[in-house]
Amino acid sequence: MQRRIRTILLSVLAVVLAMITPTANAEVEHPRQQWLRASTAGLFLHWGMFTAPKHLDCAEWERDVTGGGWSPDYWVDEARELGASYIVLATFHSRLGYAKPWPSAIPGSCSTKRDLLGELVRAGKAKDVEVILYMTDDPQWHSEQGKQMLDSAAYSAHKGQQVDLTTRRGFGMYSYDLFFEVMRNYSDLAGFWIDNDNEYWEQNKLYEQVRQLRPSWLLSNNNEDTPIMDTVSNEQKTGMTPSYDYPQAAWTPMPRLVEADYKLPTTGDWWYDGKDHPVDFRLSTGRYITNAGSSMKSLMAETPMVNGKFPPSQERYNDFMAGWVPPIRDSLHGTEGGGYMYGGMQPGFWNDGAHGVITVKPGAKTQYIHAVTRPSTNMLRLRDNGYWVTGVTNARTGERLKFNQSGGYLTILDIRDWDAYDTVFKVDTPVQSGYYKDVSATATSTRQGFPAGNLTDGDYETYWDADDKLPVSVTLDLKQREHATHLAVNQREWSPTYARVSFGRPEDSARIKDYKVSISDDGVRWTQVKAGAMPSARGTRFIDIGQQNTRYVKLDVLNTWGGPQAPRHFGELQIDEIKVGHGYPLSPWARTPLEAENAGLNGGARPQICWACSGSAQVAGLGGGARNSVTYKNVTAATAGDYKLELTATSAQATSLAVTVNGGAPIDVPLPADRADVPANTSIPVPLNAGANTIVLHSNDVRGPGVDRIAIATLPPASYTPTTTMTVTPHGVQWIGPDRQAIKVTAKLRLDVDDPITGVELKPTAPAGWTVQGSPATVQTLRLGQVLTGEWTLTAPAQVQAVSAPVTASLRILGRGKQVTTDVDVKPRPADRVFMREAEDSANEFGSTGLTSCGQCSGGEKVRNIGGSPDALVRFDDVTVRTTGQYKLHIDFTVNGPRSFFVSVNGGQPTEVKVDGAGNNTPYATSLPVALNAGANSITFANDQAAAPDLDRISLSVE
């Protein structure tokens, strides 16, 4: 759909409508968007005939709306309590009865005599709240409640031609007319919020005409980035860590206007179902803040009852927001997300479990740090991105706080007044420095129109594209030999930060994983100075390279985080800007606790300058045993118990650090080879007494590591399991028959976070009667981005039953044992079938299609988004039969309305398979004869021109 829309718009806009509408690219920023760009949030109202108690008669519903005391001012006032600048009214909604809340001259579905829409628009205008009208493209739920809600006969009489409103084209014609009725009658409306597209609209250039007739109105499109639209709305993203960090699942880079569209009630439907569902204050406020910290608008869905009032839980949340937002209003309104194209410090995970975002006022010398999850200590430490800080104030209390800067970090100290949901610090940052301005860039690969020069032009709207080629090198020329300390990398924010499936579309991170940095004076002879893995995270990423004097700095990107299951993001790389730093702000006025150079130094232990370290110093000379040590004599803990000890150390070669707590036995902590002038963190669990404790560090190696600092924090909860990605193939139910008794199983475990894990073992468990060939895969330590791989053969007994073979990764994190498990499901193939495979099986080729859950389908999954473009296909390779001949191909699918597969065998002429059905969660079956060769064959399901049904599985029987 997205590719088709782009093709239509680009050709039509360039040739036919060049005189009446701007080009597609120009829609990214336009003066009509200014009010929305300045806002923080909107209120999404799903409210219609099927709001509980549902009505099947339009007049009865309107009577109860009016009789219940519906008031537009109530909605507007509740929106203002939420800090919302606009309301989206979703009443002409496919699941709510297709009701038009205005007197309509166009018959076809429910229309009120009272002008509810007009009243709401006028009430909003009086209180500076804009109103946007939701419009659906979807007729499939026309009789969901057992009564036909679309009146084709009435609309046909109105049009003077036969029109079936239950078809997409007929409904497209009807809703197209409604757009124009609304545009004629409601000049003060702010625009349309459109739930996907209808081909009739596209063919008749609806959006271009909206632009011509109502140039000040906004257009928003759900779950697609359609160029002519002002806003991309991302619907109900979940599954991220922390759960409130909605932007992790977004895929649209600034300055595109982006909405985060989510429910405030944490259970139930999008509309009122008769229950008072709870609102999770922590989740909802966290989303509100993190969206603002990514320049995304929070479109919060509430569920008004028939009379318009909100259930008590939602009213309580709105009342809470009315008091909670105003003290930090300046940090949210008229601000942009920090750490991206508008400048600012680094958002994301900070020290001791803290997490948050930055907001900035463009052009101002002020930033706001939002600590949404507070650290377990009373200080906050984050990358300062070269901003010199002159003052830090608690935005809610006005208290001025102590702070220091060194090694590229701002540390705010002695924080006592933490808000339950968002502690906001106003930070004065008069200048950003420490980066070279006159740097040129070249690269080994460049997509035409996206040159390497875009990396250093200072313009975040231009970017470099690696043209689907990895590994790739970027060389930065400082023009002469200069001092270099670090790189600041802003990657294109066009993908989520982790693998996921959204509306059947596979997505993954297109960010840098493994990299190397080298330096050279002549651009020919290179010396590697850094290697590692970059976290898959939003915002500016930093690579510290120590103290270098060089002319050229080369970044080699070896791979990215995305996997092949998401071809749109796999092997792709786009970068907005790369800066070369030559130093860090230094403000040592307040001392950071537990710095090594301020502890007791014994034997040969001595302070040493380390510009990338906290306090710009570390302690060296710890090798040779316990006589050379650092002693911390007053490490305090509130209560006795186990704590997390974070060791920040430098190590030019693989070494270890011995840790002694209160005179106990030394704990040996291995440290990997890295740099002697760039610190890295390693954490272990340690027992502490209530009150003061003594911690001693030394090394038994001849040349021990350097120690920068230590930190003490509470252990994460016992439920904490570090984020990993475990990929097990085969995926999908495996159908075992007499000709297939063995299954080759491969598993890969990747660590996706900074916390290293130890004692890692990866192995399958054989079901009863099965055998496993192959040994467990093991590794002592797994660090960020590293992968452990294992391979085994599972062999079934003669009599196969339905079983699951679990593949388990066992690991330890901070002394705790954890497991991650994925099952390989096996079932006996029916006796009348000679072949059977799930559509979602990892043996298939998916093109640009994606997997989605389907409770009624075989294996609980299916493949959707087949058709509409040549690459939107599913190809079954290695479809093996014993003899050449005619077979019957059985196809299990789901579909809503008439659609077609085009089925091709071994690359031959496609055969159209027309099917029909009602409901995308109801499996259907059909079949067709096919000619197959003995041995391996391929069978492809596609539809180059239009959307095809969703595919559940295929099987073969002998004709």
Side-chain angles (χ1 to χ4, degrees):
M1 172 69 77
Q2 187 172 344
R3 290 184 180 88
R4 185 170 65 252
I5 294 169
R6 284 175 175 165
T7 301
I8 292 171
L9 291 179
L10 288 174
S11 60
V12 171
L13 290 174
V15 179
V16 181
L17 296 172
M19 300 302 295
I20 63 171
T21 185
T23 64
N25 289 335
E27 304 303 322
V28 172
E29 293 186 271
H30 193 278
R32 66 173 171 269
Q33 303 164 357
Q34 189 54 46
W35 71 265
L36 183 55
R37 290 190 178 277
S39 71
T40 303
L43 176 59
F44 205 169
L45 301 180
H46 291 76
W47 175 79
M49 289 183 67
F50 299 161
T51 295
K54 70 184 64 171
H55 294 71
L56 299 180
D57 180 84
C58 188
E60 291 179 359
W61 172 63
E62 183 178 355
R63 179 200 64 202
D64 289 345
V65 168
T66 298
W70 179 86
S71 166
D73 286 295
Y74 171 82
W75 279 354
V76 172
D77 291 341
E78 294 294 303
R80 287 165 60 88
E81 284 195 348
L82 281 168
S85 302
Y86 65 108
I87 292 172
V88 177
L89 179 60
T91 302
F92 187 69
H93 189 286
S94 58
R95 304 295 301 278
L96 285 169
Y98 302 97
K100 295 171 286 185
W102 69 87
S104 176
I106 303 170
S109 64
C110 168
S111 174
T112 59
K113 291 182 171 56
R114 181 179 175 182
D115 192 358
L116 305 173
L117 175 60
E119 291 182 36
L120 180 61
V121 170
R122 288 190 291 274
K125 185 177 182 180
K127 298 179 180 180
D128 200 25
V129 174
E130 302 285 354
V131 177
I132 294 174
L133 183 65
Y134 172 104
M135 296 291 283
T136 184
D137 78 312
D138 186 5
Q140 69 173 304
W141 307 102
H142 56 88
S143 58
E144 181 184 14
Q145 304 299 328
K147 179 180 178 181
Q148 178 58 257
M149 305 308 296
L150 297 175
D151 191 344
S152 297
Y155 182 68
S156 297
H158 171 77
K159 293 293 286 186
Q161 60 178 320
Q162 191 61 37
V163 182
D164 184 354
L165 297 188
T166 68
T167 66
R168 290 188 63 83
R169 180 170 182 80
F171 186 81
M173 182 184 299
Y174 170 56
S175 51
Y176 177 89
D177 288 348
L178 298 182
F179 276 97
F180 287 90
E181 181 178 61
V182 169
M183 284 191 286
R184 283 193 302 270
N185 296 338
Y186 301 97
S187 60
D188 289 330
L189 198 68
F192 292 114
W193 199 98
I194 298 168
D195 200 349
N196 299 313
D197 295 298
N198 186 287
E199 291 182 8
Y200 184 90
W201 302 347
E202 298 167 16
Q203 292 166 1
N204 288 276
K205 304 174 183 60
L206 170 64
Y207 307 138
E208 291 83 353
Q209 294 185 75
V210 173
R211 287 279 176 260
Q212 182 184 21
L213 296 172
R214 293 294 182 190
S216 67
W217 285 18
L218 299 182
L219 292 172
S220 180
N221 191 234
N222 194 18
N223 299 315
E224 288 186 359
D225 190 353
T226 307
I228 198 172
M229 299 290 180
D230 294 284
T231 307
V232 182
S233 193
N234 289 257
E235 181 180 349
Q236 196 67 9
K237 305 296 188 184
T238 58
M240 58 286 297
T241 302
S243 59
Y244 59 74
D245 192 12
Y246 204 99
Q248 286 190 33
W251 38 262
T252 312
M254 304 172 190
R256 196 77 160 110
L257 261 176
V258 179
E259 288 175 326
D261 166 18
Y262 57 91
K263 298 191 302 180
L264 291 184
T266 50
T267 58
D269 293 320
W270 285 81
W271 50 89
Y272 180 65
D273 59 10
K275 299 178 182 178
D276 182 20
H277 294 285
V279 177
D280 185 330
F281 281 36
R282 175 67 175 153
L283 177 65
S284 299
T285 55
R287 286 173 165 176
Y288 191 92
I289 298 301
T290 54
N291 290 334
S294 296
S295 296
M296 293 171 59
K297 311 307 172 185
S298 288
L299 182 53
M300 301 169 285
E302 294 198 319
T303 59
M305 297 179 283
V306 170
N307 64 359
K309 293 293 182 69
F310 295 117
S313 293
Q314 294 169 55
E315 279 199 330
R316 282 194 294 272
Y317 180 74
N318 297 352
D319 292 342
F320 160 77
M321 289 287 281
W324 184 75
V325 171
I328 59 171
R329 180 181 174 85
D330 284 348
S331 72
L332 299 171
H333 290 255
T335 61
E336 298 285 358
Y340 306 95
M341 66 178 290
Y342 301 102
M345 293 175 278
Q346 186 186 59
F349 288 96
W350 299 325
N351 64 296
D352 305 323
H355 182 273
V357 294
I358 310 296
T359 55
V360 300
K361 286 192 178 294
K365 301 182 185 301
T366 302
Q367 300 184 44
Y368 297 90
I369 300 173
H370 297 260
V372 182
T373 297
R374 61 157 292 183
S376 57
T377 58
N378 283 325
M379 70 177 189
L380 198 63
R381 188 168 186 266
L382 67 156
R383 292 295 301 231
D384 58 32
N385 199 11
Y387 288 94
W388 288 87
V389 176
T390 58
V392 177
T393 306
N394 186 313
R396 291 187 182 276
T397 67
E399 178 189 7
R400 291 189 67 83
L401 296 165
K402 294 186 294 183
F403 66 93
N404 65 40
Q405 284 184 273
S406 60
Y409 286 85
L410 166 68
T411 304
I412 306 174
L413 300 162
D414 299 330
I415 307 167
R416 303 295 175 183
D417 196 350
W418 295 95
D419 184 76
Y421 303 117
D422 180 28
T423 306
V424 184
F425 303 97
K426 181 181 178 182
V427 183
D428 300 317
T429 52
V431 66
Q432 183 187 28
S433 64
Y435 292 110
Y436 292 107
K437 296 185 182 301
D438 186 20
V439 178
S440 62
T442 57
T444 56
S445 178
T446 299
R447 178 180 159 200
Q448 186 175 0
F450 300 87
N454 289 349
L455 291 168
T456 56
D457 63 358
D459 184 351
Y460 287 79
E461 294 189 50
T462 64
Y463 60 94
W464 169 73
D465 191 306
D467 197 22
D468 197 22
K469 295 180 177 65
L470 290 175
V472 66
S473 296
V474 175
T475 300
L476 303 163
D477 183 359
L478 305 182
K479 306 299 175 66
Q480 61 184 11
R481 201 164 187 264
E482 298 278 11
H483 192 59
T485 57
H486 63 286
L487 301 180
V489 183
N490 276 85
Q491 300 174 79
R492 192 89 175 142
E493 303 288 355
W494 67 285
S495 67
T497 61
Y498 57 96
R500 59 183 286 119
V501 175
S502 181
F503 292 89
R505 299 181 181 93
E507 300 174 351
D508 208 344
S509 175
R511 293 169 176 82
I512 298 168
K513 189 167 83 73
D514 296 310
Y515 67 85
K516 297 187 301 183
V517 178
S518 304
I519 61 172
S520 172
D521 287 334
D522 58 9
V524 177
R525 293 165 295 181
W526 295 91
T527 301
Q528 182 176 311
V529 294
K530 184 73 174 179
M534 188 178 289
S536 178
R538 289 168 58 82
T540 310
R541 298 291 108 191
F542 299 92
I543 304 174
D544 294 297
I545 61 174
Q547 301 296 302
Q548 308 299 335
N549 286 290
T550 184
R551 173 172 174 174
Y552 298 97
V553 181
K554 182 174 66 171
L555 173 65
D556 289 308
V557 179
L558 307 181
N559 50 49
T560 54
W561 285 94
Q565 87 290 345
R568 180 169 178 262
H569 298 115
F570 180 52
E572 299 286 346
L573 178 63
Q574 298 174 359
I575 302 178
D576 288 331
E577 291 288 310
I578 301 180
K579 296 180 180 179
V580 181
H582 54 76
Y584 309 103
L586 180 61
S587 300
W589 316 124
R591 181 177 293 180
T592 301
L594 303 180
E595 295 277 4
E597 64 270 21
N598 299 323
L601 305 184
N602 308 299
R606 64 190 184 279
Q608 185 180 75
I609 291 176
C610 172
W611 294 112
C613 292
S614 179
S616 300
Q618 63 175 333
V619 170
L622 296 181
R627 66 183 183 276
N628 304 314
S629 63
V630 178
T631 301
Y632 294 90
K633 290 186 176 180
N634 192 29
V635 180
T636 59
T639 59
D642 288 337
Y643 287 80
K644 176 182 175 181
L645 171 63
E646 184 177 89
L647 304 163
T648 305
T650 65
S651 53
Q653 62 278 320
T655 183
S656 64
L657 194 63
V659 180
T660 302
V661 180
N662 294 326
I667 305 168
D668 196 59
V669 182
L671 302 175
D674 196 351
R675 290 197 57 83
D677 52 1
V678 175
N681 297 328
T682 298
S683 298
I684 61 171
V686 295
L688 298 180
N689 301 324
N693 296 264
T694 298
I695 296 178
V696 180
L697 310 179
H698 74 272
S699 178
N700 294 315
D701 295 336
V702 175
R703 295 185 61 187
V707 175
D708 178 13
R709 59 187 294 270
I710 67 171
I712 296 292
T714 57
L715 286 171
S719 59
Y720 169 69
T721 299
T723 303
T724 58
T725 296
M726 187 160 76
T727 305
V728 176
T729 55
H731 174 79
V733 174
Q734 301 301 295
W735 296 92
I736 299 294
D739 56 343
R740 187 192 183 203
Q741 295 293 120
I743 301 174
K744 181 180 177 181
V745 176
T746 301
K748 295 181 179 180
L749 181 75
R750 185 185 71 197
L751 181 62
D752 294 348
V753 292
D754 285 328
D755 296 328
I757 56 179
T758 60
V760 189
E761 181 185 69
L762 190 59
K763 67 177 183 180
T765 300
W770 286 64
T771 61
V772 175
Q773 180 182 352
S775 300
T778 61
V779 67
Q780 180 54 40
T781 303
L782 203 63
R783 298 183 181 275
L784 175 69
Q786 294 180 338
V787 178
L788 176 64
T789 301
E791 186 176 292
W792 311 271
T793 299
L794 277 63
T795 303
Q799 299 298 319
V800 181
Q801 296 181 336
V803 295
S804 291
V807 180
T808 302
S810 303
L811 56 96
R812 296 190 69 78
I813 175 71
L814 293 172
R816 296 168 175 164
K818 296 291 179 181
Q819 289 188 335
V820 179
T821 299
T822 297
D823 290 336
V824 177
D825 294 322
V826 180
K827 292 183 179 180
R829 194 173 66 219
D832 64 338
R833 303 297 162 97
V834 297
F835 177 89
M836 181 173 283
R837 188 188 294 167
E838 301 293 323
E840 67 270 16
D841 195 297
S842 52
N844 299 332
E845 170 62 43
F846 298 108
S848 62
T849 64
L851 313 186
T852 190
S853 60
C854 173
Q856 301 302 313
C857 295
S858 173
E861 286 184 304
K862 63 179 179 178
V863 177
R864 66 176 296 185
N865 294 328
I866 304 171
S869 64
D871 67 334
L873 56 82
V874 181
R875 189 178 70 240
F876 293 75
D877 291 323
D878 294 321
V879 178
T880 305
V881 294
R882 291 185 175 180
T883 60
T884 299
Q886 290 291 120
Y887 293 83
K888 180 179 285 187
L889 173 62
H890 302 270
I891 305 169
D892 297 333
F893 63 93
T894 70
V895 71
N896 187 64
R899 292 190 178 187
S900 293
F901 290 118
F902 285 82
V903 180
S904 174
V905 177
N906 294 324
Q909 185 66 28
T911 300
E912 184 176 8
V913 181
K914 295 182 178 181
V915 296
D916 199 355
N920 284 319
N921 293 313
T922 302
Y924 297 92
T926 190
S927 62
L928 76 154
V930 293
L932 300 177
N933 302 321
N937 298 265
S938 69
I939 301 177
T940 302
F941 289 75
N943 187 331
D944 290 356
Q945 302 302 318
D950 296 344
L951 189 58
D952 181 8
R953 70 179 176 187
I954 67 168
S955 57
L956 295 169
S957 61
V958 178
E959 278 275 66

